[in-house]
Amino acid sequence: MEKPQIAQKTPYVVTLEGGKTYWWCACGRSKNQPFCDGSHKGTSFTPVKIQVESQQKVALCGCKHTKNPPYCDGSHKFL
């Protein structure tokens, strides 16, 4: 099984706008971290859709090894 590239070993803390759709990069290759830029093409990875109803500050996984994608679960502490 293909492993994702580690974009960074800390979460990306971002504010998401309500009613907007975002795509979280699962492969770690995007130049637009933590969001997808299509760099996963040709891999087994697919981005994860994120939608929130109202504006929220969230911690999105930067190491790409979370068990709760796209949100950070602290997995980076064990890499």
Side-chain angles (χ1 to χ4, degrees):
M1 183 174 159
E2 199 172 4
K3 291 189 179 192
Q5 291 182 9
I6 297 171
Q8 68 179 30
K9 287 189 176 181
T10 56
Y12 292 93
V13 178
V14 296
T15 300
L16 303 178
E17 294 179 37
K20 195 170 174 185
T21 300
Y22 298 88
W23 293 93
W24 173 75
C25 169
C27 70
R29 297 175 181 210
S30 175
K31 302 285 188 264
N32 188 34
Q33 291 294 333
F35 304 109
C36 179
D37 69 359
S39 295
H40 64 278
K41 289 184 172 74
T43 72
S44 62
F45 297 98
T46 56
V48 176
K49 186 177 183 178
I50 308 169
Q51 288 183 300
V52 294
E53 291 185 25
S54 59
Q55 182 174 310
Q56 290 182 21
K57 190 177 218 180
V58 297
L60 299 178
C61 179
C63 74
K64 311 305 178 182
H65 287 79
T66 183
K67 304 290 186 278
N68 186 31
Y71 304 103
C72 177
D73 68 358
S75 292
H76 58 273
K77 295 175 188 173
F78 304 102
L79 297 176

